[in-house]
Amino acid sequence: EGMEEEEEENEEEREEDIEIEDEEENRERGGGVSYGFPHPATELETIPHPGNPEMEIEVPSFWSPPGMDLDELRKSMGNYGKFLMTPEEAASIGSKIDIHREEHETIYLSIASYRDSDCSNTMEDVFSTAAHPTRIRLAVVDQRTEGDPKCGTPAVSCYRDPDQALCKYKHLFEVFEMEASLGVGPVFARHLAHRMYRGEYFAMQCDAHSRFVKDWDVDLVDQWKSAGNEMAVLSTYLSDVESIDLKTHRSKTHTRPIMCQSDFEDEGNEKHLRHGQQPEMEPDIKGSPTLQPFWAAGFSFGRGHFVVNIPYDQYLPMIFQGEEISIGLRGFTYGYDFYAPERSAVFHIYQIHSDEGSKKKKDRPQRTVKLFWENGARYGDAPTKSMMRLNGIIHMGKEGAKFNKTEMKRYGIGKVRKPEKFFEVFGIDPKREKVEKGLCNFVGRKMHNEFTAYLRDDGMGIDYSQIDHEHKFKKRMR
């Protein structure tokens, strides 16, 4: 027993030494000391739990630059969407670091995990496949209970194998652990993840069961830059992990999904717009991502100011479907534009059901799937109240419906574009709760070429005031 205790102490000391060595190596490479990177989310504050306001929980505080509070930051960047940001205001956000005497933009990657057995594997893959792992800061919200694996735990101890990415780059990731019973869905978990942002140049999010192509960081930055649009956000429903060679980390396909399919679902006060299964095809636009109407939660990559301006709403407990139109439409009203990547850089491990064949399951990574709905009985009518708030904020609620208007300034819509413009252009009728079919026939080359002609000269987004496209329904109503 004494020898085992001594070995454990030696392992802990060795892991501490590895962490110190990595920090020193990062500084030698110009690891962002002068830019304050990496800046961990150590500042905490107490807020009411969204599912039970009588309970208080301690969470990370929102970021703001030194000498400026959050309200001052938001006012300096278009005043909560009242105005479109200027290029100078946008440029004020985003750290860069020197790696081998070359300047690189930093990347903040957030992951919300709910009792996910694949979380640590995903984290390992983030760093092991990146071309420049020292530019990445990874933040994970780990909702777990006793007995669940912990996000950030390497396959073996760092003492035994210090070359694991989770050991070499331990100083570049942090895990905010939360009791799973307090989990009220991905919206609140990702809200906490947005709180952990600390001024990085790019902000990205994906699921806790993802795999990455080799040099994904360089590829995504290059794709974003090729849009020539400061307000561009790359986003899509990810292709299945079967489309990536897990040995070489190369994509096995030239296709990628594009977001164009949507319809209303559910009923009563919980009825909402949901993006369904999206078509996957080879891009017909080359050399640039393709403009699309919708945003997807499972993969998003854009400038850091996107998560500053469009933080996940703190007051939407027990919401799953509906989060994407909430973030997407709020982003649209602030002037953001969404694009399907030209190439897939991240892939998703979708759950395989027992009737889909043992061989298919054998050849793919496995994960245990647990869902936050197991907490549903704790939070009563929270889903209905949350959906009424979600729809009310984005002008999709039922006429005369009352909803929770707490902190509307922080989590509301902007005035750069009106939601009604979005509905008109893309054929959505909130009053009749109908969606015009055939949008996918327009999204792609036709929409991209027609709308990017109105990209502002300073690169600050598409000027929708110049676009008079109406996708059918408004003409039919006449």
Side-chain angles (χ1 to χ4, degrees):
E1 289 180 2
M3 292 178 65
E4 288 178 358
E5 290 177 1
E6 184 176 352
E7 185 176 343
E8 288 179 2
E9 290 177 1
N10 289 337
E11 285 194 20
E12 290 177 0
E13 290 176 2
R14 175 57 184 156
E15 289 178 13
E16 290 176 0
D17 289 342
I18 291 171
E19 184 173 350
I20 292 170
E21 288 170 6
D22 283 337
E23 288 176 349
E24 290 176 347
E25 181 181 16
N26 200 35
R27 290 192 184 97
E28 290 171 4
R29 294 175 179 175
V33 175
S34 62
Y35 297 97
F37 179 86
H39 180 182
T42 54
E43 307 88 351
L44 300 173
E45 64 177 293
T46 300
I47 65 170
H49 186 277
N52 180 9
E54 296 181 0
M55 178 195 306
E56 290 190 332
I57 55 173
E58 197 171 47
V59 300
S61 299
F62 279 112
W63 171 82
S64 59
M68 182 182 289
D69 63 26
L70 181 60
D71 184 59
E72 291 170 330
L73 173 61
R74 295 290 300 271
K75 286 180 178 177
S76 74
M77 298 174 63
N79 196 9
Y80 293 89
K82 186 176 182 180
F83 309 105
L84 180 66
M85 288 187 299
T86 66
E88 294 73 26
E89 289 168 347
S92 70
I93 297 294
S95 58
K96 299 179 182 180
I97 65 170
D98 292 331
I99 302 175
H100 299 306
R101 298 183 181 181
E102 290 186 1
E103 189 176 69
H104 293 267
E105 300 91 348
T106 57
I107 298 173
Y108 172 71
L109 171 52
S110 65
I111 293 175
S113 172
Y114 186 84
R115 307 187 66 189
D116 199 312
S117 60
D118 194 63
C119 179
S120 292
N121 296 328
T122 296
M123 295 173 67
E124 176 79 15
D125 215 53
V126 166
F127 291 107
S128 65
T129 57
H132 304 295
T134 55
R135 81 196 305 189
I136 299 161
R137 179 172 159 263
L138 173 61
V140 180
V141 176
D142 187 11
Q143 302 160 100
R144 60 180 299 275
T145 194
E146 189 67 30
D148 290 339
K150 290 187 175 184
C151 293
T153 304
V156 298
S157 75
C158 293
Y159 176 74
R160 298 180 188 279
D161 184 3
D163 289 329
Q164 296 170 98
L166 288 179
C167 302
K168 292 175 65 176
Y169 305 110
K170 188 176 180 180
H171 60 294
L172 293 175
F173 74 82
E174 55 198 282
V175 178
F176 179 79
E177 193 170 305
M178 176 180 170
E179 170 56 45
S181 63
L182 298 178
V184 286
V187 172
F188 184 60
R190 288 168 175 150
H191 165 82
L192 297 178
H194 275 194
R195 283 176 169 268
M196 297 173 76
Y197 170 79
R198 288 297 179 268
E200 290 80 11
Y201 195 90
F202 291 108
M204 174 179 173
Q205 76 179 45
C206 69
D207 289 335
H209 32 271
S210 303
R211 294 296 182 270
F212 301 77
V213 299
K214 181 177 173 56
D215 301 339
W216 63 266
D217 54 324
V218 171
D219 189 17
L220 287 178
V221 169
D222 286 348
Q223 290 194 61
W224 180 88
K225 289 182 177 179
S226 70
N229 184 348
E230 175 71 20
M231 306 299 283
V233 180
L234 308 181
S235 188
T236 193
Y237 285 170
L238 297 177
S239 300
D240 186 77
V241 70
E242 289 187 340
S243 296
I244 183 175
D245 186 324
L246 294 174
K247 293 182 179 179
T248 64
H249 289 277
R250 302 291 186 187
S251 174
K252 297 189 290 186
T253 180
H254 298 292
T255 63
R256 56 91 180 94
I258 188 167
M259 302 290 292
C260 60
Q261 197 79 265
S262 193
D263 208 345
F264 285 88
E265 72 169 17
D266 226 319
E267 57 186 26
N269 286 323
E270 292 190 30
K271 197 163 189 176
H272 59 277
L273 193 70
R274 177 192 177 186
H275 309 323
Q277 186 172 355
Q278 305 299 319
E280 181 162 345
M281 62 191 74
E282 287 199 27
D284 51 8
I285 297 293
K286 304 296 183 181
S288 165
T290 304
L291 197 65
Q292 64 184 13
F294 303 128
W295 178 87
F299 170 75
S300 176
F301 184 93
R303 287 282 276 113
H305 50 68
F306 181 67
V307 301
V308 174
N309 283 324
I310 318 295
Y312 265 88
D313 192 338
Q314 180 178 320
Y315 303 99
L316 296 179
M318 303 308 290
I319 287 290
F320 180 60
Q321 305 296 352
E323 66 169 303
E324 293 173 326
I325 192 61
S326 170
I327 294 288
L329 200 37
R330 287 171 55 206
F332 175 86
T333 65
Y334 269 69
Y336 289 97
D337 300 308
F338 306 116
Y339 291 76
E342 182 182 4
R343 298 175 298 279
S344 293
V346 188
F347 294 82
H348 188 279
I349 303 174
Y350 290 98
Q351 183 181 7
I352 296 298
H353 299 285
S354 58
D355 60 351
E356 294 187 56
S358 57
K359 184 179 186 303
K360 191 173 184 180
K361 292 197 293 182
K362 181 181 178 181
D363 296 338
R364 58 189 288 118
Q366 299 297 302
R367 67 186 180 95
T368 303
V369 180
K370 296 182 176 67
L371 303 173
F372 74 95
W373 294 114
E374 64 187 359
N375 303 325
R378 297 172 180 265
Y379 301 110
D381 61 354
T384 301
K385 290 181 177 179
S386 293
M387 191 60 74
M388 291 176 70
R389 172 181 167 89
L390 185 154
N391 282 331
I393 287 175
I394 59 175
H395 294 192
M396 297 189 77
K398 296 185 182 298
E399 190 171 352
K402 296 181 179 180
F403 61 91
N404 176 11
K405 297 184 178 180
T406 304
E407 292 199 269
M408 288 283 285
K409 187 176 181 181
R410 179 176 292 183
Y411 303 116
I413 60 174
K415 295 183 178 180
V416 177
R417 303 168 182 154
K418 294 181 178 180
E420 288 72 22
K421 184 67 174 181
F422 184 88
F423 304 147
E424 173 187 304
V425 171
F426 299 116
I428 300 166
D429 188 344
K431 290 184 178 180
R432 293 191 299 157
E433 297 176 333
K434 300 288 184 182
V435 173
E436 282 291 349
K437 306 303 180 184
L439 183 59
C440 289
N441 296 327
F442 174 67
V443 175
R445 177 184 294 275
K446 189 172 182 180
M447 174 184 167
H448 182 89
N449 289 340
E450 184 178 327
F451 288 14
T452 56
Y454 299 106
L455 177 64
R456 292 182 176 88
D457 291 341
D458 61 4
M460 295 303 293
I462 306 291
D463 184 358
Y464 269 76
S465 69
Q466 302 298 314
I467 294 174
D468 61 2
H469 179 88
E470 297 174 3
H471 192 65
K472 294 184 180 179
F473 90 83
K474 188 171 182 181
K475 294 179 181 179
R476 287 185 181 179
M477 288 177 68
R478 292 172 183 166

